[in-house]
Amino acid sequence: MSNVFYMPPVTLMGPNAIQSLGAELASKELKKALIVTDSVLVEVGLVSKLTDELTAHGIDFTIYDGVQPNPTEKNIEDGLELLANSHSDFVISFGGGSSHDTAKGIALVAANGGHIRDYSKGVHLSKKPQLPLVTVNTTAGTASEMTVFAIITNQEDETKYPVVDKHFTPIIAVNDSELMVAMPKFLTAATGMDALTHAVEAYVSTAATPITDASAIKAIELIVNNLETAVNDGQNRAARDAMQYGEYLAGMAFSNASLGYVHSMAHQLGGVYDLAHGLCNAILLAEVSRFNAKQVPERFVDIAKAMGIDTAAMTQEQAVNAALEAIDALSEKVGTKQRLADLGVTEDKLAFMAQNALNDACSLTNPRKASLEEIVAIFKARM
């Protein structure tokens, strides 16, 4: 069976990487950008790092700053309207996963027509490349700046769904660790645990390949060794830089190997309760991993080793348990080991969310198949 590997053709990485973006764009003769971001990043002045670079290279822009933390279909519709009215010929996302996912939806629908929901009933459904998309990343978590995934919320029926499309791949991605030093502690923690989840789920995915395995294992090493430092000392440049490499490698892994039940369940928590995606992943990761380890224990032994655990004198079961305990311990250290009930989750919604989780595209590559009751039980274990 053949495999396809997707990633951006150009990625600018490291401190002050954004200062190379203008020249890259000028060489492509792009004239006017729709910048997709959120109002907070505009208010704190971070977006000016991008707009100054565009202005210096004679590139015009219009800003759409209405992105929500769990981006909605309406965010995409509003962005499409502004795109048309501003006569922009390409899209730049600036921020974390919410900005990138919204921009992907805008760029894809602008080129292919219809509604973003039309592209969620399978994978790679678009017929034409999206409008040129450039992604400027400010968090070390979602890796949406380089993946073929976008996660969108339908507010009408309280569902959150993934869209998987090869045309989502941006023409240029920018991972500038200097844009990440001002990230608040909780956002650093939640997005970092999101990245760890990407790496773990990709490594145990039924679609894993040697390339995604190598990316996932190195991502786990980088994240485990640097997340706590980045949370506690946001100005630590070495930790920030290591985290942006770790989240990118995790993105390389899951963009091509896909994910599993952690994400399909977290999507439902986000859709129903509007909870932070990374926090939901952090809460669920060890419990879903406990379920999956019964099917692929050898993979969790590898994860234990990547987390720095000496497994030489351990049985397979001991090594697996050590990995699960280490995941929970890291989550507790960075402040994301929380209970769902404390976040407002109620048991009357669990069956509804469990059914939607099983219908989520991310569930297709989970290594162990679950029943509705088993998904509910995993939710309950973290209540």
Side-chain angles (χ1 to χ4, degrees):
M1 176 179 164
S2 63
N3 293 290
V4 180
F5 194 86
Y6 298 107
M7 65 182 296
V10 175
T11 301
L12 308 175
M13 304 192 79
N16 302 309
I18 196 170
Q19 294 175 10
S20 301
L21 178 59
E24 288 281 348
L25 294 175
S27 71
K28 298 182 182 301
E29 299 184 348
L30 297 167
K31 303 300 183 187
K32 186 170 184 179
L34 176 70
I35 298 174
V36 178
T37 187
D38 64 64
S39 58
V40 173
L41 292 176
V42 174
E43 289 167 8
V44 301
L46 205 58
V47 176
S48 65
K49 300 282 188 182
L50 169 62
T51 56
D52 288 350
E53 180 70 8
L54 296 180
T55 300
H57 288 83
I59 299 169
D60 197 6
F61 58 86
T62 294
I63 297 176
Y64 169 64
D65 64 357
V67 174
Q68 297 171 236
N70 284 304
T72 66
E73 294 173 341
K74 188 175 187 308
N75 290 155
I76 293 171
E77 291 160 9
D78 290 345
L80 281 164
E81 183 178 358
L82 186 56
L83 177 79
N85 292 339
S86 65
H87 304 291
S88 299
D89 62 343
F90 74 112
V91 180
I92 303 180
S93 58
F94 187 95
S98 299
S99 295
H100 305 320
D101 288 357
T102 304
K104 286 175 176 178
I106 293 168
L108 193 78
V109 175
N112 288 272
H115 190 280
I116 188 61
R117 211 179 305 153
D118 300 337
Y119 303 95
S120 68
K121 307 302 181 185
V123 298
H124 309 311
L125 296 182
S126 67
K127 302 299 183 185
K128 296 185 292 185
Q130 65 185 359
L131 210 62
L133 173 66
V134 175
T135 54
V136 181
N137 196 35
T138 64
T139 67
T142 69
S144 184
E145 79 277 4
M146 57 80 62
T147 70
V148 297
F149 281 74
I151 311 300
I152 309 300
T153 298
N154 178 345
Q155 289 180 304
E156 292 180 3
D157 64 5
E158 297 185 321
T159 58
K160 194 173 181 181
Y161 57 85
V163 182
V164 185
D165 199 293
K166 62 186 178 183
H167 288 139
F168 275 154
T169 310
I171 59 170
I172 303 172
V174 180
N175 264 11
D176 183 342
S177 51
E178 282 297 307
L179 297 177
M180 303 175 187
V181 295
M183 257 201 305
K185 272 192 171 188
F186 175 75
L187 185 60
T188 300
T191 55
M193 289 301 295
D194 187 18
L196 179 63
T197 304
H198 293 154
V200 171
E201 289 212 285
Y203 192 69
V204 302
S205 165
T206 58
T209 69
I211 295 176
T212 63
D213 283 351
S215 301
I217 288 297
K218 187 61 180 180
I220 292 169
E221 291 177 6
L222 286 168
I223 294 163
V224 168
N225 288 330
N226 292 280
L227 178 56
E228 190 177 357
T229 300
V231 169
N232 293 328
D233 179 10
Q235 298 295 313
N236 187 307
R237 264 56 178 186
R240 289 292 193 190
D241 207 43
M243 283 300 300
Q244 60 101 15
Y245 278 106
E247 73 94 35
Y248 193 92
L249 283 164
M252 288 171 58
F254 92 83
S255 188
N256 295 282
S258 196
L259 295 160
Y261 287 152
V262 180
H263 271 76
S264 59
M265 294 171 71
H267 292 160
Q268 312 321 312
L269 290 166
V272 175
Y273 295 100
D274 199 28
L275 297 174
H277 176 66
L279 175 61
C280 296
N281 282 336
I283 292 169
L284 294 168
L285 178 56
E287 200 63 38
V288 173
S289 295
R290 192 178 314 281
F291 176 84
N292 286 335
K294 297 183 186 303
Q295 184 71 27
V296 286
E298 70 284 354
R299 290 253 137 183
F300 284 94
V301 174
D302 293 342
I303 289 168
K305 293 174 183 176
M307 297 186 79
I309 298 166
D310 184 358
T311 63
M314 293 182 180
T315 65
Q316 185 180 75
E317 183 179 3
Q318 289 171 332
V320 168
N321 287 334
L324 302 181
E325 290 168 6
I327 290 169
D328 261 346
L330 178 60
S331 185
E332 186 164 19
K333 287 176 184 176
V334 300
T336 57
K337 189 180 179 184
Q338 301 181 32
R339 308 302 302 185
L340 293 176
D342 294 336
L343 299 172
V345 178
T346 56
E347 291 203 5
D348 62 300
K349 290 281 191 178
L350 296 186
F352 169 75
M353 292 193 296
Q355 185 59 64
N356 285 335
L358 289 172
N359 294 335
D360 188 296
C362 291
S363 291
L364 295 174
T365 45
N366 197 78
R368 182 184 175 198
K369 299 310 172 190
S371 66
L372 178 71
E373 292 74 21
E374 286 170 323
I375 297 294
V376 170
I378 293 171
F379 274 129
K380 284 185 174 179
R382 291 291 160 154
M383 287 291 284

